[in-house]
Amino acid sequence: MRLREFVIEKLLFIAALSSLAVLALIAVFVFIEGTPIMLREGLGSFLLGAKWAPTKGSFGILPMIMGSIWVTVGALLIAGPVGVACAVFLVEIAPRQVADVVRPAIQLLAGIPSVVYGFIGIVVLVPFIRETFGGPGLSILSAAIILGVMVLPTVISIAQNALEAVPVEYKQGALALGCTHWQTILLVILPTARTGLITALVLGMGRAVGETMAVIMVVGNAVKLPINPLDPARTLTSNIALEMAYAAGAHREALFATGVVLFVFIMILNALANMRLRRRGSHR
Amino acid sequence: MELHDRREEKCKLRVENLSVFYGAVQAIKSLSLRVYPNEILGITGPSSGGKTSLLHTINRLNDRIPTYRHEGRVLLDGDDIYHPDVDVNQLRRRIGIVFDLPTPLPKTIFENVVFGLRVAGVRNRTVLQERTEQALRDAILWDEVKDRLNQPALRLSGGQQQRLSIARALAAQPEIVMLDEPCSGLDPISTLKIEQALWDLKERYTIVLVSQNVQQTSRATDRAAFLLMGELVECGPTAEMFTNPRDSRTADFLEGRFG
Amino acid sequence: MAHHRRSHLLLVMAIIAGLSIGVAGCRGPQSGGLTVAGSTSVQPLVEHLAERYMAEHHGEVVNVQGSGSTAGIRAAVSGAAAIGMASRELEPTERDLHRFLIAQDAIAVIVHPANPVKALRREQLRDIYARRIRDWQQLGGNPGTINFITREEGSGTRGAFQEIVMGDAEISADGIVQDSTGTVRAIVAGDRNAIGYISLGMVTPEVATISLDEVVPTHDAVISGQYPLTRPFLLVTSGEPGPRERAFMDYLHQPACQAIIEEEGYVPSAAESRS
């Protein structure tokens, strides 16, 4: 019995280790491929250069960094309020039968392939934005809306957990003092769940930064510093996915360098989320 | 059941033939009870006796539980609290409740005390401060926290948090204060402080004290009611009930044979 | 959820890693098989035909790998591949290679069917993509900013467009970039002010083609050589092809294969030689 447990334990440990090793290998690989060109071109001119013409020797990825930031922030401005409102509805307001139908429906959203989102974007959303607001339609706004919907399941499910973790005593205490249900939500439940809600947003953000396929289809991919949300833009992920198939030499290195920047981006977000979670853990 | 003949109009709260159900489970069986102004009514009995269900029904905290339903009436100053015209939030301001676990909100001490007032729309700073001091004094907490009102309430000890919960209920100036096992989990010194506070408060408030603890009920209440499995076994002046219980089940409970 | 995101990242990285391994793999010839490497535009067509070839010629193995026209030509020169594939004409320095035409591909310029502009000169098209002409009104159309759509950097279609239409002018960075013929077509089909370019074989009635230098892009115009925006699909070998290479290349000129090429929307080389 002793021996069996020992073996199982070690096997699990090896499994955990191997997944970690794969991650480490990928990281090392991307960094080895990507860092030389950053050093050669100079980190400043690589990160802050506005011109990207890789076949002609210009490797500035600032337009892509800005594109990623615009699109991600835009997606959060949409998914944040909608997601939190939806979570409040599910946890606090919806009757059980309604919640039981809506919850799995939202989780279903997470299972739709991103190509489908992109296609709906091109066929429905892009023409709508072009006709309503002008511009080419393929834009930051389109990408932000599509991404906002795509990250909703993430935001909602984590926000839900945060709201459900609010002790029932807080709610009763507020109700007993004459709070209406709405006041209880606004004054007690949301402030108490604050850290959890922020975590939901940060994790949603990580998902938004990494999404590729749907974004390529609706964001326009123009390599240009975006000025307003109706402009087309290119994100870090779409830059890699668009050009990797053909790239060779310095161009390919530059795309790996784009991957390095993305990697660091996501690491920072992850660290932020973990910090939040840990703080919340010690708080409760 | 009510044997003590006091005049009808002096009754503050009257429960008439109340039965409470959660789905198929009946938590309270045809219970009738009166609470008179400026008294401390103790409600005691073993757990699952219906004590908390009764308080929640009186404060209408069960309104949002889908399986809950009740029969009978609860009258506050003669008016049915479940009448469709009654504003439930207004009602809860008239009947304050303190729970068995301290429930400070994750805010400062000051904000916790004035929470009910702010919700009720009180804005005047002076009023808020006066009420805070009064409430904290009433709950015998003022001396311990007067210099750190802006610190998080969650840093207080358990006993302080429970007295803060009482102060918070008092600050809203209810007519009746109901306490549900306020001293469970507290040390003897904190327990005595709370009992002391209640004794001083009954001049201004009507108090209902739910406690499983027989000694506390005997020490801190004017009259006592004994609830067993949803049924009111007996109710009368505390001293009388403790020295000469009319029902053998009451005697068994008081002597510690169950619960 | 963190797990979900991490696996997503992993996937992207794995794809990147896989691609680079694929590229690296092109450099060494497969022992025993006939290695054909080069343009990713030509690759799907040759792959399709190679499968038929292998089914009909038992024991023969043909490996088709996509790495870009220039890489394919270099592979043929170095001997890393037996045959190179190119979707562009050979440059002067590459003239000593043996050139074998399998098909002509025309690039059609497309607009929304409701767009009144039906004809452009090559200079006008160049100025649209260089962002010197910005409004359809300047071309006699309805007022509206021109939304021009281009392909991604490195695409063979873009390369041919750059070479034949743009010359030394650069495609403006303001242009919408899409990475597939399908999305370019879907966008043009939905936007009255859009213009794009796709392979003639991929044109559907949702979009309208534009005549270039007064030549409508039709099958006949491509065969006769009048339509300017075409590119050859070439196979190249270093010197005269050996017997194995010759057998495969001749197979592609057989009527059955030429019919397939035509079905796929390209102009077969046999048709060209007939004209």
Side-chain angles (χ1 to χ4, degrees), chain B residues 216-240:
Chain B
Q216 178 167 56
T217 306
S218 82
R219 280 195 304 265
T221 66
D222 296 310
R223 287 192 314 131
F226 174 51
L227 254 66
L228 182 64
M229 299 171 77
E231 204 180 317
L232 182 64
V233 176
E234 116 169 57
C235 180
T238 306
E240 214 169 282

Coordinates of all heavy atoms in Angstrom, one line a residue, chain B residues 216-240:
Chain B
Q216 N -27.9 32.3 30.9 CA -28.1 33.7 30.4 C -29.5 34.1 30.4 O -29.8 35.2 30.8 CB -27.5 33.8 28.9 CG -27.7 35.2 28.4 CD -26.9 35.3 27.1 OE1 -27.1 34.6 26.2 NE2 -26.0 36.3 27.1
T217 N -30.4 33.2 30.0 CA -31.8 33.6 30.0 C -32.3 33.9 31.4 O -33.0 34.9 31.7 CB -32.7 32.4 29.4 OG1 -32.2 32.1 28.2 CG2 -34.1 32.8 29.3
S218 N -31.8 33.1 32.4 CA -32.3 33.4 33.8 C -31.7 34.7 34.3 O -32.3 35.4 35.0 CB -31.9 32.2 34.7 OG -30.5 32.3 35.1
R219 N -30.4 35.0 33.9 CA -29.8 36.3 34.4 C -30.4 37.5 33.8 O -30.6 38.5 34.4 CB -28.3 36.2 34.0 CG -27.4 35.4 34.9 CD -25.9 35.8 34.6 NE -25.6 35.7 33.2 CZ -25.0 34.6 32.7 NH1 -24.7 33.5 33.5 NH2 -24.7 34.5 31.4
A220 N -30.7 37.4 32.4 CA -30.8 38.7 31.7 C -32.2 39.0 31.2 O -32.4 40.0 30.4 CB -29.8 38.6 30.5
T221 N -33.2 38.2 31.5 CA -34.5 38.5 30.9 C -35.6 38.7 32.0 O -35.5 38.2 33.1 CB -35.0 37.3 30.0 OG1 -35.2 36.1 30.9 CG2 -33.9 37.0 29.0
D222 N -36.6 39.4 31.6 CA -37.8 39.6 32.5 C -38.8 38.5 32.4 O -39.3 38.0 33.4 CB -38.5 40.9 32.1 CG -37.6 42.1 32.3 OD1 -37.0 42.3 33.4 OD2 -37.5 42.9 31.3
R223 N -39.1 38.1 31.2 CA -39.9 37.0 30.9 C -39.2 36.1 30.0 O -38.3 36.5 29.3 CB -41.3 37.5 30.3 CG -42.2 38.2 31.3 CD -43.6 38.4 30.7 NE -43.5 38.9 29.3 CZ -44.2 38.3 28.3 NH1 -45.0 37.3 28.5 NH2 -44.0 38.8 27.1
A224 N -39.7 34.8 30.0 CA -39.0 33.8 29.1 C -40.0 33.0 28.4 O -41.1 32.7 29.0 CB -38.0 33.0 30.0
A225 N -39.7 32.6 27.2 CA -40.5 31.6 26.5 C -39.7 30.4 26.1 O -38.5 30.6 25.8 CB -41.0 32.3 25.2
F226 N -40.2 29.2 26.2 CA -39.5 28.0 26.0 C -40.0 27.4 24.7 O -41.2 27.0 24.6 CB -39.6 27.1 27.2 CG -39.0 25.7 26.9 CD1 -37.7 25.6 26.4 CD2 -39.7 24.5 27.2 CE1 -37.1 24.4 26.2 CE2 -39.1 23.3 26.9 CZ -37.8 23.2 26.4
L227 N -39.2 27.3 23.7 CA -39.6 26.7 22.4 C -39.0 25.3 22.2 O -37.8 25.2 22.4 CB -39.1 27.6 21.2 CG -40.2 28.4 20.5 CD1 -40.8 29.5 21.5 CD2 -39.6 29.1 19.3
L228 N -39.8 24.4 21.9 CA -39.3 23.0 21.7 C -39.9 22.5 20.4 O -41.1 22.4 20.2 CB -39.6 22.1 22.8 CG -39.1 20.7 22.8 CD1 -37.6 20.6 22.8 CD2 -39.7 19.9 23.9
M229 N -39.0 22.2 19.4 CA -39.5 21.6 18.1 C -40.6 22.4 17.5 O -41.6 21.8 17.0 CB -39.8 20.1 18.3 CG -38.6 19.4 18.8 SD -39.0 17.7 19.3 CE -39.1 16.9 17.7
G230 N -40.5 23.7 17.5 CA -41.4 24.5 16.8 C -42.7 24.8 17.6 O -43.6 25.5 17.2
E231 N -42.7 24.4 18.8 CA -43.9 24.6 19.7 C -43.5 25.4 20.9 O -42.5 25.2 21.5 CB -44.3 23.2 20.1 CG -45.8 23.1 20.5 CD -46.1 21.7 20.9 OE1 -45.6 20.7 20.3 OE2 -46.8 21.5 21.9
L232 N -44.4 26.3 21.2 CA -44.2 27.1 22.5 C -44.7 26.3 23.6 O -45.9 26.1 23.8 CB -45.0 28.5 22.4 CG -44.8 29.4 23.6 CD1 -43.3 29.8 23.7 CD2 -45.7 30.6 23.5
V233 N -43.8 25.8 24.5 CA -44.2 25.0 25.6 C -44.7 25.8 26.7 O -45.8 25.5 27.3 CB -43.0 24.1 26.0 CG1 -43.3 23.3 27.3 CG2 -42.5 23.2 24.9
E234 N -44.0 26.9 27.0 CA -44.5 27.7 28.1 C -43.9 29.0 28.1 O -42.8 29.2 27.5 CB -44.3 26.9 29.5 CG -43.3 27.5 30.5 CD -43.5 26.7 31.8 OE1 -43.3 25.5 31.7 OE2 -43.8 27.3 32.8
C235 N -44.6 30.0 28.6 CA -44.1 31.4 28.6 C -44.5 32.1 29.9 O -45.7 32.0 30.2 CB -44.6 32.1 27.4 SG -44.1 33.8 27.2
G236 N -43.6 32.8 30.6 CA -44.0 33.5 31.8 C -42.9 34.3 32.4 O -41.8 34.2 31.8
P237 N -43.1 34.9 33.5 CA -42.0 35.7 34.1 C -40.8 34.7 34.4 O -41.0 33.6 34.8 CB -42.6 36.1 35.5 CG -44.0 36.2 35.2 CD -44.3 35.1 34.2
T238 N -39.6 35.2 34.1 CA -38.4 34.3 34.1 C -38.3 33.6 35.5 O -38.1 32.4 35.5 CB -37.2 35.1 33.8 OG1 -37.4 35.8 32.6 CG2 -36.0 34.3 33.7
A239 N -38.4 34.4 36.6 CA -38.1 33.8 37.9 C -39.1 32.7 38.2 O -38.7 31.6 38.6 CB -38.3 34.9 38.9
E240 N -40.4 33.0 37.8 CA -41.4 32.0 38.0 C -41.1 30.7 37.2 O -41.2 29.6 37.8 CB -42.8 32.5 37.5 CG -43.9 32.1 38.3 CD -45.1 33.0 37.9 OE1 -45.2 34.1 38.4 OE2 -46.0 32.5 37.1

